Amino acid sequence: MKQTKSTIKILKPVSGTWLSMVSLMIFLCSCTRFEANAEDLRKIVNLSGDWRFSIGDDIAWSNPSFDDSGWDKLDVPGTWEGQGYDDYNGYAWYRKTFTINNLPANTPVYLLLGRIDDADVIYLNGRKIAQDGKLPPEFKTAYDIERKFHIPLEYFNKDGDNVIAVRVYDSYQDGGIVDGPVGLYYDTDDEFLSLNFNGFWKFHTGDDKAWRLPEVDEKDWTSLFVPSTWESQGYDDYDGYAWYRYKFSLPQNLSSGDLYLSLGKIDDIDYVYLNGEKIGDVYDLKNHRYFFTNNSFISINSDWEYNARRVYKIPADKLKRPGENIIAVRVYDEHGLGGIYQGPVGIMTSEDNQRYQNKHRHSTGSNFWDFIMSRFFNYDNN
Amino acid sequence: MKRTINKNLARILGTISLFLILSHTAKCNYPNPEDLHLLKNLNGNWHFSIGLNNDWIQPKFDDSKWETIEVPGPWEDQGFNGYNGYAFYRKNIDIPLSWKDRDLYLNMGYIDDVDEVYLNGHKIGSTGSFPPNYSTAYDAERIYYIPVEYINFDGSNLIAVKVYDSYESGGIVSGDIGLYSGKTAIGLDINLQSLWKFQPGDDMRRKEIQFDDENWAEIFVPAKWEDQGFRDYDGYAWYRKTFNCQLPENEKLVLVLGKIDDIDQVFINGVVVGSTGNFPSNGSDDASTGAEFNAFRGYYIPDGVIKKGQNIIAVRILDTGGSGGIYEGPVGLITQGKYIEYWRNIKKAKN
């Protein structure tokens, strides 16, 4: 399925003159803006290029030992329609064999597969690692979600071949692994973390103020990978409130000094609690992130929250040193994708926070172009 | 994340969709004439009689006393000037056994105004609508798939064409009449291009095996329903077809339904096996993106759904405007292995 997606939405043109002036500015600066706000991911293994491909459907094709040497070859990313399979709709499988010898030691690794049209199930070395959209009979497209999955390091075979197998179902029009980055990546912003909270957090949809408290029965909470949208983890189309909880203890080397909690980017609004007490929300960030915030003209109808980088100073008196600390994050997602969807997520020292802020200063909304962009347009940052 | 489609853009897309809907109504026959190649030319002398008698569709009827008439050409030019109403054309043809593995089509050209075509007494196609619900289809080329079970290989086969002409020119007036084979034959294991049961309206009980479709209309698949007595009908409709499967039970099968206008949901033995497009939940018919009608349908059938012996396919369709129905083939069942091969060959032919 393919629909033309507009990346720019005109909210309310103030006047024709304003609009044309602003449009010109947008053309001049939108490209760099677009890049600057993307995640700073670095490639470990390039997976674009030739993949083995077959239309059809057989679960045996997820098996790493399956012999796909008789299969066709297709260029990834790219629609299969553009590569000889015009008009084909339905199931198809992609397979790619690769080796990996430069795995980072403690940094989460992400598999990026760009956009897959329409729905897919992804296997690494025979193990199902992700599913986006829904396969028939309860078909549901996920063609506009960029696939990004955290892969636990132990899933990789460090000494030999690894096989990714992707089962794709396309309903109609464009099909396949159609565009976007394809490879294994890590997030360079994770280097600013002294304590990395990437991983599985406890998760519950709905809203209950009591969930901020340290003593909550988490029996009926599920596990959700952070950072990643909840839509990519089974909560298709969920909008509204949801809570995340995560427990940590500080190591010896962090027993003194100011510490900051980084929660990356959250879609849309977050309220953050440590050991039962509120330490911040996204609106605390607004003043020093938006150059023109105090201008009443620009405070209406804004859509900046999902794109703001969350870093909250941790009040020393609320932190247990030593002992177990509990973070609870109440998230409200207005519509579209939701959740703690982009890193870095973890603890930063004052110094690393400063380095992190400096690195992203020009991409977090504190300049005139961002003011223009954020006031008059909504835009994709992916 | 905010991903909102500009309303203006949506409006433009809507206009484009409308344009697509309007522009594709003209094209509906499968395969397109250029994809067919001629096996036997049937231009020339046919037996002909004006009048209406249902015995005349039967092979055993003796038409040796009938007039002969040149096909194609209006009967007004051949001694029947001024005649309007019913008439029959008949012709015997031999079909060799060596054509058994081909998909055979009978092209009857352009018929003015309405026709029904029989092979060996079996209806294989109909276009337009006879009185009392008369509607002409004088501008449609008649290309009918011949179900293999109706063919008498290495023997004589009787083609009978029932025609109704309202006024002015009448009969098989033009075209390249003949027996053709389809060039892009997919090699169906079970060919379902034949008469199906058909009923307008919507009722989910129609998917069930035991649903009684005895009193439903019969129409041809593939062909748009507008040419088969349901002119100007838009909205919901269901197709049902019983078929016999003798393929091994563990064989992976794909149900090929060609192209459907616009949205469909398909059941085999009451189990949903595929769908294209989204049915509206609020009962409105404003559901099509304008692209579904052009999507080629091949639904992978879950294991265990198809039984050895009798099976029932039920197809629920919503046509949001213009022509409607399962309008372009191939239609039938194929093993997954052959289906994969078919698509690889298409790709190879392109390179």
Side-chain angles (χ1 to χ4, degrees):
Chain A
M1 187 181 298
K2 186 185 84 180
Q3 289 167 22
T4 308
K5 188 173 83 173
S6 119
T7 52
I8 295 176
K9 180 182 78 170
I10 298 173
L11 286 178
K12 263 181 195 152
V14 180
S15 75
T17 325
W18 250 105
L19 184 63
S20 53
M21 197 179 86
V22 169
S23 309
L24 184 65
M25 292 173 187
I26 296 319
F27 279 113
L28 292 174
C29 70
S30 61
C31 294
T32 51
R33 183 64 177 76
F34 197 82
E35 290 297 317
N37 237 340
E39 261 174 305
D40 195 4
L41 296 175
R42 201 146 300 166
K43 199 176 281 179
I44 306 167
V45 177
N46 180 19
L47 295 174
S48 61
D50 275 351
W51 285 54
R52 291 288 178 176
F53 175 83
S54 177
I55 71 142
D57 191 35
D58 191 334
I59 213 72
W61 298 343
S62 66
N63 191 327
S65 57
F66 173 78
D67 178 11
D68 59 20
S69 59
W71 280 20
D72 214 345
K73 278 183 184 169
L74 233 58
D75 202 28
V76 169
T79 65
W80 64 53
E81 281 83 355
Q83 300 182 68
Y85 290 90
D86 294 26
D87 293 337
Y88 178 71
N89 303 304
Y91 284 101
W93 283 66
Y94 290 79
R95 287 171 54 94
K96 178 83 173 175
T97 303
F98 65 96
T99 54
I100 182 167
N101 46 25
N102 51 344
L103 271 180
N106 294 312
T107 306
V109 172
Y110 296 96
L111 170 63
L112 271 63
L113 285 174
R115 287 194 313 109
I116 296 179
D117 202 332
D118 286 291
D120 60 80
V121 182
I122 295 164
Y123 299 86
L124 174 66
N125 297 332
R127 186 201 295 253
K128 180 178 165 182
I129 56 169
Q131 167 157 11
D132 277 291
K134 284 183 193 151
L135 303 175
E138 304 298 324
F139 167 73
K140 189 171 180 318
T141 185
Y143 79 96
D144 54 354
I145 296 177
E146 275 209 18
R147 270 51 166 187
K148 182 186 147 203
F149 314 102
H150 164 254
I151 314 258
L153 295 179
E154 63 268 26
Y155 288 12
F156 291 106
N157 185 2
K158 287 156 194 105
D159 310 313
D161 284 344
N162 293 270
V163 178
I164 294 175
V166 186
R167 181 189 188 196
V168 179
Y169 180 81
D170 172 45
S171 176
Y172 60 102
Q173 296 193 326
D174 288 352
I177 305 172
V178 297
D179 57 36
V182 178
L184 294 170
Y185 291 80
Y186 69 98
D187 187 344
T188 55
D189 283 342
D190 283 349
E191 72 172 280
F192 299 115
L193 300 173
S194 298
L195 202 51
N196 192 323
F197 294 165
N198 284 282
F200 289 95
W201 289 43
K202 290 291 179 185
F203 179 77
H204 202 300
T205 54
D207 192 27
D208 184 341
K209 284 277 172 59
W211 291 342
R212 77 185 189 282
L213 300 171
E215 57 286 352
V216 166
D217 180 7
E218 295 175 346
K219 227 184 328 193
D220 59 341
W221 289 54
T222 55
S223 284
L224 203 69
F225 184 77
V226 171
S228 191
T229 64
W230 62 53
E231 276 80 1
S232 70
Q233 302 179 73
Y235 293 88
D236 294 24
D237 289 341
Y238 182 74
D239 296 328
Y241 283 100
W243 284 71
Y244 291 79
R245 287 169 61 85
Y246 189 79
K247 294 175 187 171
F248 69 96
S249 300
L250 290 172
Q252 271 298 317
N253 62 329
L254 296 176
S255 57
S256 64
D258 284 344
L259 293 179
Y260 292 79
L261 173 63
S262 170
L263 291 174
K265 294 185 177 181
I266 297 176
D267 201 333
D268 292 290
I269 295 160
D270 58 304
Y271 308 86
V272 184
Y273 303 85
L274 179 69
N275 299 326
E277 293 188 62
K278 191 173 167 191
I279 61 168
D281 64 47
V282 66
Y283 297 105
D284 298 340
L285 309 170
K286 199 173 171 185
N287 288 332
H288 53 265
R289 272 168 204 282
Y290 281 84
F291 191 62
F292 280 93
T293 297
N294 293 330
N295 184 329
S296 60
F297 174 61
I298 58 168
S299 62
I300 48 165
N301 199 12
S302 82
D303 250 351
W304 58 274
E305 294 94 341
Y306 81 99
N307 204 27
R309 293 178 185 276
R310 272 71 167 178
V311 181
Y312 299 108
K313 188 171 181 183
I314 302 177
D317 57 330
K318 297 195 172 73
L319 195 58
K320 288 186 191 161
R321 286 166 149 160
E324 189 182 67
N325 295 280
I326 294 174
I327 302 166
V329 185
R330 177 186 183 225
V331 175
Y332 177 75
D333 175 40
E334 190 183 296
H335 67 270
L337 303 179
I340 306 172
Y341 69 92
Q342 182 179 314
V345 179
I347 300 288
M348 288 178 182
T349 62
S350 179
E351 186 187 30
D352 285 335
N353 176 38
Q354 203 51 56
R355 288 168 55 220
Y356 173 62
Q357 299 293 344
N358 288 344
K359 177 178 172 184
H360 293 286
R361 173 177 299 158
H362 299 296
S363 61
T364 48
S366 53
N367 62 45
F368 182 69
W369 304 125
D370 285 337
F371 156 69
I372 296 294
M373 292 295 287
S374 60
R375 290 310 113 193
F376 292 92
F377 298 88
N378 291 332
Y379 45 85
D380 269 336
N381 71 318
N382 287 329
Chain B
M1 276 155 256
K2 311 298 178 236
R3 289 172 286 100
T4 316
I5 292 179
N6 184 330
K7 283 231 174 76
N8 290 325
L9 188 67
R11 216 166 284 137
I12 291 164
L13 285 176
T15 314
I16 292 170
S17 311
L18 183 67
F19 180 72
L20 285 173
I21 289 165
L22 292 174
S23 60
H24 87 265
T25 52
K27 140 192 185 299
C28 67
N29 287 312
Y30 177 85
N32 296 325
E34 58 264 33
D35 295 332
L36 296 170
H37 80 266
L38 183 66
L39 295 176
K40 191 186 277 280
N41 187 335
L42 298 177
N43 290 336
N45 287 332
W46 286 59
H47 283 113
F48 177 78
S49 175
I50 63 162
L52 174 63
N53 183 335
N54 282 335
D55 290 344
W56 297 348
I57 65 174
Q58 295 305 332
K60 62 180 188 292
F61 174 79
D62 178 11
D63 59 20
S64 58
K65 302 268 168 33
W66 282 19
E67 305 269 347
T68 51
I69 197 169
E70 182 83 2
V71 167
W75 63 53
E76 281 81 355
D77 298 348
Q78 302 184 66
F80 294 89
N81 197 12
Y83 178 72
N84 300 311
Y86 285 96
F88 271 73
Y89 292 76
R90 286 169 55 98
K91 190 177 187 69
N92 269 298
I93 60 165
D94 291 332
I95 300 179
L97 188 62
S98 57
W99 294 352
K100 189 159 189 169
D101 293 329
R102 310 190 189 194
D103 282 347
L104 298 181
Y105 294 83
L106 179 62
N107 183 346
M108 290 306 306
Y110 295 86
I111 295 179
D112 201 333
D113 291 287
V114 183
D115 69 289
E116 230 168 51
V117 177
Y118 295 83
L119 184 83
N120 299 329
H122 302 282
K123 189 156 97 169
I124 61 163
S126 174
T127 308
S129 177
F130 290 105
N133 301 314
Y134 167 74
S135 95
T136 182
Y138 73 92
D139 55 352
E141 189 176 22
R142 274 64 163 175
I143 299 173
Y144 300 131
Y145 172 76
I146 308 175
V148 67
E149 63 267 31
Y150 299 162
I151 300 174
N152 186 11
F153 287 104
D154 268 355
S156 179
N157 294 270
L158 187 272
I159 302 168
V161 185
K162 173 184 171 185
V163 177
Y164 176 81
D165 175 44
S166 170
Y167 62 98
E168 294 185 347
S169 296
I172 304 165
V173 295
S174 64
D176 298 312
I177 319 305
L179 191 64
Y180 291 76
S181 80
K183 234 194 242 170
T184 56
I186 194 168
L188 296 168
D189 291 281
I190 299 176
N191 193 316
L192 297 172
Q193 302 183 135
S194 59
L195 275 178
W196 288 49
K197 291 286 189 176
F198 177 80
Q199 182 78 357
D202 191 27
D203 183 344
M204 291 310 285
R205 285 175 300 184
R206 295 175 181 178
K207 73 178 177 12
E208 303 299 342
I209 296 174
Q210 61 275 16
F211 184 85
D212 181 9
D213 56 21
E214 177 86 18
N215 297 320
W216 284 20
E218 287 194 318
I219 70 174
F220 279 90
V221 169
K224 54 184 179 177
W225 65 52
E226 278 78 359
D227 286 342
Q228 301 184 74
F230 296 89
R231 199 140 185 113
D232 297 331
Y233 181 73
D234 296 330
Y236 284 93
W238 283 71
Y239 289 75
R240 282 170 62 90
K241 177 74 183 173
T242 303
F243 68 95
N244 187 5
C245 182
Q246 292 304 329
L247 298 166
E249 290 220 15
N250 57 355
E251 189 81 65
K252 285 185 178 298
L253 294 173
V254 179
L255 174 62
V256 179
L257 285 174
K259 294 185 178 180
I260 295 176
D261 201 334
D262 289 280
I263 294 165
D264 66 285
Q265 190 176 23
V266 181
F267 306 85
I268 295 183
N269 300 329
V271 178
V272 63
V273 298
S275 66
T276 301
N278 295 309
F279 286 94
S281 46
N282 56 5
S284 86
D285 60 1
D286 184 23
S288 169
T289 65
E292 295 90 350
F293 81 93
N294 206 24
F296 186 89
R297 271 78 162 173
Y299 297 133
Y300 292 77
I301 301 166
D303 295 345
V305 170
I306 291 189
K307 311 277 183 257
K308 216 161 196 165
Q310 291 281 92
N311 295 271
I312 298 241
I313 300 179
V315 184
R316 180 191 188 208
I317 293 179
L318 173 61
D319 172 37
T320 63
S323 55
I326 307 170
Y327 72 95
E328 188 175 304
V331 176
L333 287 150
I334 187 170
T335 60
Q336 177 169 301
K338 280 168 77 178
Y339 194 59
I340 293 170
E341 212 46 45
Y342 167 75
W343 284 100
R344 286 198 74 166
N345 287 336
I346 283 189
K347 189 199 168 186
K348 277 184 202 145
K350 285 201 166 76
N351 291 349

